[in-house]
Amino acid sequence: MSVARQVGEGSGVVRTALVTIVTGGTTFLITNGLDQPQAVCITLSVLIGGIVLMVRFLVEFEKRLAAVEKLERDGMDDMKKLVGDAFAKINEATELFGSVEASALQTDLVTQLVRNSTTISPDSPPIVYQFVQAKIKETSDFLKQLSEGGTVTYYGEDRDWLLGLTRHATLSVDAISLAAVDHDLWRSEIGQRYLDAQRRAARAGKRVRRIFVLDNPEMERDPELRRAYEEQRQMSIDVRLLDRSAVHTPLQVQLRDLIVFDDILAYETTPTISDPQLAQVAETRLVLNDARVKECAQLFRELWDISRELRTEAQRNA
């Protein structure tokens, strides 16, 4: 009980006592002024004072009883709300766990993600807390877009998607390489990792094919292109060259840098400009739309049919 409440209750008792005494005293003075016997004056004073005391006691008791009843009702409402919220959370958690169990993903990986996420608290350094929050939201949005079979866009050059998809392809990796996107790629760190993942996929019996698109016939003489061609052929990657001029007009507008994984997912990159020496990757897209992926796979097949092997010096001069 707080000090303020104790003072309030003490003041109430004092007021009740004063009212009783004043009432009894007033009654005594009135009856005594009417020349009533002393015994009658005292009796009436005590009686009326007692009645006043009892009435005030009943009034206070009724107030306290009403307050207790209100407190009990509020407590019951709070308890019902608490129990209802608890059951709602239990139902939600049960439904969520059921979804995890029914998911095609490994249950232990999903629960491990949730468990590890709970170790980050608001007491963590602000930059860590906010960064983790952003990554969780990013991952959530990524999974949502993948599950809906749409298109996921990454602004800039991605590496995790490229390497991850290549390492986990189960059937095939079909790539169209434009000079504006792939210049200097094969000597870079990510290019070396990408080639290693393709090499492993090819040796595991998966089909790995690449079409190098030549913007002009002179590109075939480029030592870097020839080196990349021969190196990838030695890795059991099927490599061909495609003269842009040999591409049929209806396909010219569709020609772009892309990779088709297992014929069910397309990985597309868009350069900032067409100049191979200055271009950078503007954005990367993962396409899961079935109709769009089929178009990409059909585009690769048509370009593969009109592409060719690297010609020797004698063949070029013939």
Side-chain angles (χ1 to χ4, degrees), residues 174-282:
D174 294 330
I176 300 174
S177 296
L178 300 184
V181 175
D182 292 346
H183 69 91
D184 296 331
L185 172 66
W186 311 115
R187 288 188 177 275
S188 67
E189 179 266 342
I190 184 174
Q192 292 295 311
R193 292 183 183 275
Y194 178 37
L195 278 180
D196 182 63
Q198 289 184 309
R199 177 183 64 83
R200 293 175 183 273
R203 291 190 175 182
K206 299 161 189 174
R207 186 189 70 210
V208 182
R209 298 184 293 182
R210 169 164 291 103
I211 300 174
F212 283 111
V213 178
L214 306 181
D215 294 331
N216 58 73
E218 292 303 316
M219 288 185 64
E220 186 175 5
R221 300 177 182 274
D222 184 357
E224 288 296 321
L225 176 65
R226 299 177 70 87
R227 184 194 61 81
Y229 180 95
E230 295 296 345
E231 182 181 61
Q232 294 182 31
R233 290 282 293 232
Q234 293 173 8
M235 294 180 181
S236 300
I237 300 174
D238 291 333
V239 186
R240 289 186 181 182
L241 304 180
L242 174 64
D243 295 306
R244 186 181 287 269
S245 59
V247 179
H248 305 306
T249 302
L251 297 181
Q252 286 282 355
V253 295
Q254 301 183 44
L255 194 58
R256 58 193 182 276
D257 195 277
L258 69 84
I259 309 169
V260 181
F261 294 94
D262 293 346
D263 286 339
I264 60 173
L265 186 149
Y267 176 98
E268 300 181 358
T269 52
T270 303
T272 52
I273 56 178
S274 59
D275 188 342
Q277 302 303 319
L278 301 176
Q280 295 181 352
V281 176

Side-chain angles (χ1 to χ4, degrees), residues 118-138:
T118 61
T119 61
I120 304 297
S121 69
D123 296 331
S124 301
I127 187 173
V128 174
Y129 176 72
Q130 294 174 11
F131 178 71
V132 171
Q133 287 278 80
K135 292 302 290 183
I136 291 176
K137 184 180 185 306
E138 178 184 331

